[in-house]
Amino acid sequence: MDQFVKWFRNSTPYINAHRGKTFVVCFGGEVVISPDFPALVQDLTLLASLGVRLVLVHGIAPQFRQRLDRARIALVEHADVPVLPVAALPALKEAIGATRLDIEAGFSSGLPQTPMDGAALRLVSGNFLIARPVGVRDGVDHHHSGEIRRLETPAIRQALQQGAVVLLSPIGYSTTGEAFFLSCESVAMQAAIQLGADKLIFLEEEDAAAVTAGRSSQLDPAQAESRTREAGFSPARRQAWMGCIQACRSGVPRAHLIPRGQEGALLLELFTRDGIGTLITAGTYDVVREATIDDIGGLLALIAPLEAQGILVHRSREQLELEIANFILMERDQTILACAALYTFPGEEAGEIACVAVHPDYRELGLGHDLLAHLEQRAWTRGLRWLFVLTTQTAHWFIEHGYRPARIEDLPVARQALYNFKRNSKVFIKALSAAPAARRPIA
Ligand SMILES: CC(C)(COP(=O)(O)OP(=O)(O)OC[C@H]1O[C@@H](n2cnc3c(N)ncnc32)[C@H](O)[C@@H]1OP(=O)(O)O)[C@@H](O)C(=O)NCCC(=O)NCCS
C-alpha cells in the first residue's frame, strides 16, 4: 500500500506534464493478435483519459504474411524496400482491414472487468495519408510500395481536438486514387514530425534488455545512430530507431523505444522518472539551473539524510531560504538530482564550495563533477580567483578535482572566525587560473 501511495504521488508531475500533449504511439501487428492487447488498450485508454492526445499507428506484419502465404505470393525486397506487385494488393487490403477492425473492436469493448470499465474511446481513421509510389529504383519497379507525400494534418488535429484517438494504418492513397503500402515506422515518424508531436513512442517487439543491458538509456540522435550500426542490431529494430532519430532531428522533443513485452511498459516509461526503455532526445534532459525559493522542499529532502550522517553541515529551512541564491541544482523532470553552493568572499577574491550533494541513485554518473565545474566557472566570472572547501569525508574527491590541502589560517579571515573546531573539517584550496569549461549549460 505504501508503495502504491509513493508511486502515485511520484507520478503526479508526469500526469500534469502530459496533459494536452500529443503522443504518436506505434505498435506492430503482433500485439494486436496477442493476449497482451487488452492490457495495451487499457493503458492507452488511461493515457487518453488523462488528457493525452493520441495518434496510434499500427503495423500489419503477421497479418500480411499470413495472407500472402495463403495466396502463395513471396514478397521480395530491393534496397530494403518491399516490391509489392498488384497481385499482393488484395492481401494487403485484407490485412489492413482485419487489423484495423481488431483494434477498433479492442477499443470498443468498454474494457469490462478492468479499472477502465466503461471508458471506451472513439477511434477515428480515414484517408489521412497521401502517398506516392516508390517507383523504379536501379531498374526495379516497386509497384504498390509507397512513400508518404503528406498527412492531412488539419483533419487529424481537428479529430484530436474533439477528443478522438486517431488511428493510422500503413497505407496511403495517391491523388489518382491508387493505394500504396507504407512502413508503419515511416508513418509514425512523419505523423510525429508533421503534427509537431511532443513524443514519438515505439513499442518494440524485441526484448531490448539484451541489447541495452548496462548501457545508458538516454541517447542523443548521434549516439543512437551509432548504436544501430552495432553487430546484432536487427534490421527490423533499425527502422524504428531511425524513425526516432530522424523525428528528433526534425524537432520532436523526445522519442521512446519501449519493450512492449513488459507488463505496463507504456506506463512505466511515461510515469516514472527513469522509465524502462530507451529515450532519444536532442534537447538537454538533465538541466542545471539556479535554485529558487520553490526548490527548498526538494533541496531539504536531498540534503537532510547527508546532514544526519554528519557529511554535510546542518542548514535550517530559514537559513536555506536566506542562502538560496548561492545554490545551483541539476534536475530531471522537475526532480532535483543534485545540488551545490558557492559562497563568495569578494574582498579576498575567494569563494567557498559547499553542500555538494548528489542523490544516491545518481552517483558516479558525473553529476557532481558537472556541478563543481559550473560553480568554478561561475566563481571565475564573478572575479574570484581561488576556491576553498571544508570537508570531513569527501577529501579525495576534491583532491581529484585539483584541490590541495591547506590550513585554517589560509581561509578568508571572516571564514576563519566561523570555523567549527568540533567538526574538525579538512581545508582544501584550489587556485583558478582560467575559466573552466562547464559541460552543461545553465537553463
Ligand atoms: C561526492 C559526490 C558529490 C560525488 O558526486 P558524483 O556525481 O557521484 O561524482 P562523479 O560522478 O562526478 O565522480 C565519481 C568519482 O568520484 C569518486 N567519489 C565519490 N565519492 C567520493 C568520496 N567521498 N571520496 C572520494 N572519491 C569519491 C567515485 O569513486 C568516482 O570515482 P571513479 O570515477 O574513479 O570511479 C557524491 O558522492 C555525494 O553526494 N556524496 C555525499 C555528499 C558529499 O560528500 N558532499 C561533499 C561535501 S561538500
Side-chain angles (χ1 to χ4, degrees):
M1 185 57 87
D2 276 359
Q3 225 179 349
F4 168 77
V5 172
K6 195 169 164 216
W7 176 85
F8 199 64
R9 283 183 182 145
N10 287 343
S11 65
T12 319
Y14 300 96
I15 295 174
N16 288 328
H18 298 332
R19 190 175 301 123
K21 301 283 164 57
T22 303
F23 295 179
V24 175
V25 183
C26 182
F27 50 85
E30 290 82 355
V31 64
V32 181
I33 49 176
S34 85
D36 305 330
F37 191 53
L40 176 63
V41 171
Q42 193 180 329
D43 293 350
L44 289 167
T45 306
L46 176 63
L47 278 185
S49 66
L50 292 174
V52 174
R53 295 177 174 185
L54 282 178
V55 176
L56 308 181
V57 182
H58 71 87
I60 52 161
Q63 293 86 347
F64 193 22
R65 209 177 310 119
Q66 188 194 36
R67 284 163 178 86
L68 286 172
D69 289 348
R70 218 184 290 147
R72 294 182 200 285
I73 296 171
L75 275 200
V76 290
E77 282 197 354
H78 178 77
D80 291 336
V81 182
V83 174
L84 208 100
V86 180
L89 264 188
L92 173 69
K93 290 177 181 173
E94 236 186 271
I96 286 181
T99 313
R100 208 185 257 188
L101 291 184
D102 283 345
I103 296 170
E104 285 174 0
F107 276 92
S108 306
S109 64
L111 305 170
Q113 278 143 41
T114 77
M116 300 302 291
D117 191 4
L121 284 182
R122 192 153 49 84
L123 278 196
V124 171
S125 50
N127 55 346
F128 292 130
L129 292 162
I130 313 299
R132 60 168 170 245
V134 166
V136 180
R137 289 192 186 169
D138 307 323
V140 178
D141 190 346
H142 285 74
H143 299 286
H144 282 270
S145 236
E147 288 172 344
I148 299 167
R149 217 169 129 181
R150 66 167 196 279
L151 266 90
E152 297 289 9
T153 46
I156 295 176
R157 283 214 180 90
Q158 197 178 16
L160 291 173
Q161 263 159 19
Q162 287 168 357
V165 171
V166 172
L167 178 65
L168 299 178
S169 301
I171 194 162
Y173 308 94
S174 70
T175 41
T176 54
E178 283 176 287
F180 290 95
F181 177 46
L182 307 165
S183 80
C184 62
E185 292 86 358
S186 62
V187 173
M189 176 190 76
Q190 284 296 339
I193 295 171
Q194 294 188 30
L195 288 167
D198 299 280
K199 284 184 190 296
L200 168 60
I201 301 169
F202 278 98
L203 299 178
E204 293 192 288
E205 283 302 312
E206 282 176 56
D207 179 14
V211 187
T212 55
R215 308 267 197 96
S216 157
S217 57
Q218 182 203 330
L219 304 170
D220 64 31
Q223 289 168 325
E225 197 169 356
S226 65
R227 182 79 64 83
T228 65
R229 287 194 284 264
E230 288 177 5
F233 208 97
S234 75
R237 261 193 117 194
R238 189 168 292 126
Q239 275 209 25
W241 277 60
M242 289 313 294
C244 288
I245 292 164
Q246 205 168 324
C248 279
R249 286 184 173 146
S250 304
V252 176
R254 290 183 182 193
H256 303 251
L257 294 133
I258 312 174
R260 78 109 176 131
Q262 185 161 338
E263 167 72 13
L266 199 54
L267 302 184
L268 287 169
E269 178 70 10
L270 293 173
F271 294 98
T272 60
R273 195 193 310 147
D274 302 317
I276 56 152
T278 303
L279 168 68
I280 303 177
T281 173
T284 314
Y285 182 48
D286 294 336
V287 175
V288 177
R289 64 169 173 81
E290 289 175 10
T292 71
I293 212 83
D294 295 333
D295 298 312
I296 301 276
L299 284 173
L300 282 171
L302 176 68
I303 62 181
L306 295 164
E307 290 177 357
Q309 292 166 47
I311 298 174
L312 296 181
V313 182
H314 175 67
R315 282 174 177 79
S316 65
R317 178 179 280 270
E318 293 69 29
Q319 192 182 352
L320 211 51
E321 279 173 13
L322 286 172
E323 297 175 357
I324 196 68
N326 297 325
F327 278 76
I328 60 168
L329 52 82
M330 183 171 290
E331 72 174 356
R332 178 182 299 178
D333 287 342
Q334 284 120 43
T335 300
I336 299 174
L337 304 187
C339 70
L342 172 71
Y343 294 81
T344 57
F345 297 82
E348 300 179 57
E349 293 188 338
E352 176 177 1
I353 299 287
C355 207
V356 185
V358 177
H359 187 286
D361 293 351
Y362 298 90
R363 296 219 176 126
E364 312 215 353
L365 297 172
L367 304 194
H369 170 93
D370 282 1
L371 282 185
L372 191 59
H374 270 296
L375 287 187
E376 291 180 358
Q377 193 185 43
R378 171 182 282 213
W380 179 267
T381 53
R382 289 188 181 174
L384 309 183
R385 291 300 171 258
W386 61 282
L387 292 174
F388 66 91
V389 62
L390 273 66
T391 180
T392 52
Q393 298 179 29
T394 322
H396 283 243
W397 189 74
F398 284 103
I399 290 172
E400 280 166 25
H401 285 86
Y403 289 74
R404 297 285 161 255
R407 299 164 309 162
I408 299 167
E409 304 82 77
D410 298 326
L411 295 174
V413 181
R415 188 63 180 87
Q416 284 179 36
L418 296 173
Y419 184 83
N420 181 344
F421 283 93
K422 211 166 140 208
R423 202 169 150 73
N424 197 20
S425 306
K426 293 195 168 82
V427 178
F428 291 88
I429 284 182
K430 181 177 182 175
L432 299 175
S433 51
R439 280 202 272 161
R440 293 167 209 247
I442 295 256

